[in-house]
Amino acid sequence: MRLITVFAFAAAIVAAPAIDPGIPRFPLPDGFPTPNPDQLAEIQRLAGGTLPNQPLPTNLSQDAIATLKLLAHNELYEVAFFTELLNNITTAAPGYRANDTAPLDRLLLVRQIEAIKNQEELHAIAANAFLVSAKQDPIAPCQYTFPVSNFQNAILFAQVFTDLALGTIPAVQLLFARDGGPASGNVITLGSILGSEAQQDGFFRSTQRKNPSAAPFLTGSTGAIAFNALRKLIVKDSCPQPLSSIGLPEWGDLDFFSAQLFINNYIDSELAIPEPSWPFWISSNPQTKNGTLPFFVAGLSAAPNESSIVYLSGQNKPVAVPITKFLQSPGDASATFRVEFPFEKRGFANGLTIAILARGLGPFADAEAVSAAAQLGPVIIEIH
């Protein structure tokens, strides 16, 4: 059986076909996603370390392959996001000038974001190496949207999608462990990526004057949950490989009633991301922790039958809450409804909580069971 290493894969992709330009334009000036050996050496220098040279598995289950494809897409999005963020800071774009990043040292900040961007490039190369070793095509970049317009919002948004990545990588580890054989050995490699992302998240949180770690046990996710969040940030029909080829289910959209991002008592009371393409809600107001949340669904002509909003928070069992106060919008197939948010009653964790509209009233055993019953979502909730 032929063994492939991540480093060997990086050398092989030099001959890969060119990628259609996206947002930002790929390939990047450093050659990513197909850097030559000299460019790769510089990426590794700026990232603070090299690609692993451990052998990779050549046989993976379809579930593991689908989740790896999602992970590669996610890493590519992060590369694009941090490339754009770094460019906005270094060119002093509106919202990213000295007064916007104060009191942070800008030279240090550039070095920090540059390191994160290069680390994400290596994460993406590693994810694609896993796929190629399993006889799958590497994932190519798409075109992306970034629903932020200033530095504070960008760091907040980076924290949110990193929180979701921290919940998804363990799901990939679990699938590798289930596959057994050579695949189980790469659980450690994935764990090192998880640790790198966690260190980045601590930086994002500290920059916002939050505790560097949100909770003792972070919220778990699944590949399907992360996929349905990420696809809203990808420009439609912009991917060289259709998103349907990933092999994960696509759910309907679940949104908050307002199109504006809810931020309660955050650093700046006027801080907001207008018209976000990725619905999430952030609060530090204790009164919201035991209230109700307003949801909006387009294309819904009747109240969901035997369905509930299911919350995933920390490493606790999913919490299913019945849908109440369902209101049909006259003249079109849309509806609003309110659902209890039992943060303190049910022991939710600070940081990430995931909400999904799922078939059934529960109980659900875990995040995988919720994903299997999902109809709409997810909505991302951050409490700090």
Side-chain angles (χ1 to χ4, degrees), residues 77-78 81-82 85 89 95-96 100-101 104 109 113 116 146-166 197 200-211 214 233 260-274 276 278-284 350-353 380-384:
Y77 179 84
E78 293 188 20
F81 179 86
F82 290 116
L85 175 58
I89 295 171
Y96 300 85
D100 301 305
T101 60
L104 301 176
L109 178 63
I113 300 299
I116 291 173
F146 310 122
V148 295
S149 59
N150 60 63
F151 175 74
Q152 284 190 329
N153 282 350
I155 293 298
L156 169 60
F157 189 61
Q159 177 216 314
V160 173
F161 65 63
T162 303
D163 281 348
L164 191 56
L166 291 175
E197 298 277 353
Q200 294 174 15
D201 207 36
F203 165 71
F204 302 143
R205 292 180 58 85
S206 296
T207 300
Q208 300 169 75
R209 302 201 297 254
K210 302 176 184 176
N211 291 337
L233 298 169
Q260 296 292 320
L261 172 69
F262 292 105
I263 299 185
N264 299 335
N265 296 344
Y266 189 60
I267 294 174
D268 181 345
S269 61
E270 296 182 357
L271 177 66
I273 302 174
W278 197 34
F280 60 100
W281 179 77
I282 298 166
S283 176
S284 62
N350 283 338
L352 175 67
T353 293
I380 304 304
I381 301 167
E382 286 275 348
I383 298 293
H384 60 275

Side-chain angles (χ1 to χ4, degrees), residues 7-358:
F7 197 90
F9 167 74
I13 61 176
V14 173
I19 305 301
D20 289 337
I23 307 172
R25 181 180 294 272
F26 287 99
L28 299 180
D30 63 5
F32 180 86
T34 57
N36 63 38
D38 289 340
Q39 291 171 323
L40 179 60
E42 179 64 5
I43 291 170
Q44 292 178 133
R45 185 187 71 81
L46 293 170
T50 64
L51 288 166
N53 58 8
Q54 297 290 333
L56 300 175
T58 55
N59 293 295
L60 291 171
S61 68
Q62 288 303 308
D63 286 344
I65 289 171
T67 309
L68 269 175
K69 288 179 179 179
L70 177 277
L71 182 61
H73 270 290
N74 185 74
E75 298 294 356
L76 288 166
Y77 179 84
E78 293 188 20
V79 170
F81 179 86
F82 290 116
T83 298
E84 184 76 5
L85 175 58
L86 184 62
N87 179 71
N88 286 337
I89 295 171
T90 55
T91 61
Y96 300 85
R97 294 168 179 163
N99 61 312
D100 301 305
T101 60
L104 301 176
D105 182 304
R106 282 182 71 83
L107 291 178
L108 176 60
L109 178 63
V110 167
R111 193 174 77 221
Q112 291 167 328
I113 300 299
E114 185 176 52
I116 291 173
K117 174 243 183 195
N118 283 277
Q119 288 163 9
E120 293 308 321
E121 290 185 6
L122 295 184
H123 291 172
I125 291 172
N128 270 330
F130 279 111
L131 289 171
V132 170
S133 179
K135 305 175 184 65
Q136 302 293 312
D137 291 333
I139 299 299
C142 307
Q143 295 180 28
Y144 307 104
T145 61
F146 310 122
V148 295
S149 59
N150 60 63
F151 175 74
Q152 284 190 329
N153 282 350
I155 293 298
L156 169 60
F157 189 61
Q159 177 216 314
V160 173
F161 65 63
T162 303
D163 281 348
L164 191 56
L166 291 175
T168 306
I169 294 173
V172 188
Q173 291 178 293
L174 178 60
L175 292 169
F176 272 38
R178 285 175 178 169
D179 283 351
S184 60
N186 293 108
V187 171
I188 297 174
T189 301
L190 290 167
S192 70
I193 295 176
L194 180 68
S196 175
E197 298 277 353
Q199 289 182 331
Q200 294 174 15
D201 207 36
F203 165 71
F204 302 143
R205 292 180 58 85
S206 296
T207 300
Q208 300 169 75
R209 302 201 297 254
K210 302 176 184 176
N211 291 337
S213 54
F217 302 98
L218 301 183
T219 298
S221 180
T222 66
I225 292 172
F227 168 68
N228 280 280
L230 179 64
R231 67 179 178 82
K232 299 178 183 179
L233 298 169
I234 296 175
V235 177
K236 187 177 181 181
D237 299 327
S238 70
C239 298
Q241 302 125 311
L243 291 178
S244 59
S245 67
I246 294 177
L248 292 170
E250 183 172 327
W251 307 328
D253 291 339
L254 179 65
D255 298 285
F256 283 114
F257 178 64
S258 172
Q260 296 292 320
L261 172 69
F262 292 105
I263 299 185
N264 299 335
N265 296 344
Y266 189 60
I267 294 174
D268 181 345
S269 61
E270 296 182 357
L271 177 66
I273 302 174
E275 303 297 329
S277 60
W278 197 34
F280 60 100
W281 179 77
I282 298 166
S283 176
S284 62
N285 185 344
Q287 294 180 350
T288 65
K289 293 183 178 180
N290 295 296
T292 60
L293 299 182
F295 291 93
F296 170 82
V297 180
L300 193 65
S301 58
N305 184 32
E306 293 295 309
S307 295
S308 56
I309 291 292
V310 185
Y311 296 110
L312 301 172
S313 186
Q315 287 297 308
N316 301 314
K317 292 181 179 179
V319 174
V321 180
I323 294 172
T324 60
K325 299 181 180 178
F326 185 88
L327 179 63
Q328 186 70 45
S329 176
D332 63 11
S334 63
T336 61
F337 57 87
R338 301 190 71 88
V339 176
E340 181 187 9
F341 183 56
F343 182 90
E344 291 181 339
K345 291 181 186 177
R346 302 300 294 270
F348 287 8
N350 283 338
L352 175 67
T353 293
I354 299 168
I356 292 172
L357 193 151

